[in-house]
Amino acid sequence: MQGVVTIRFTIHRNGQITDVTILDSSGTPAVRFRRPRKAIENSSPLNPLSEGISPMSTERVTAMFYYNMEPPAGR
């Protein structure tokens, strides 16, 4: 399986991850929807965010995941 998934999620001060959203995807349905979303959800909670990392109560993260392929140069 190969594919690229762009996913956005929110990390709260206590490390809880919410609002996991697939923004764009390619490849098979397992890559496009289930696996990347589950990987993010299963990593929750993370370690709490320190004030030094973010003064905000939440941080919004957007990430691209490449499955069985190399990211383009410069990414």
Side-chain angles (χ1 to χ4, degrees):
M1 288 191 292
Q2 287 187 323
V4 179
V5 177
T6 304
I7 200 164
R8 182 174 56 207
F9 54 95
T10 302
I11 305 172
H12 295 264
R13 171 84 48 218
N14 67 0
Q16 191 69 32
I17 295 174
T18 62
D19 307 320
V20 180
T21 305
I22 304 291
L23 299 178
D24 191 25
S25 63
S26 68
T28 65
V31 170
R32 291 193 327 228
F33 302 111
R34 293 186 298 271
R35 289 183 178 175
R37 182 182 192 98
K38 258 319 197 198
I40 297 295
E41 290 171 346
N42 288 342
S43 67
S44 183
L46 302 172
N47 290 332
L49 295 176
S50 71
E51 290 286 330
I53 291 175
S54 173
M56 308 291 284
S57 62
T58 63
E59 275 298 316
R60 201 82 192 258
V61 177
T62 301
M64 292 180 79
F65 294 87
Y66 292 84
Y67 290 88
N68 296 319
M69 56 191 301
E70 292 290 321
R75 289 239 171 180

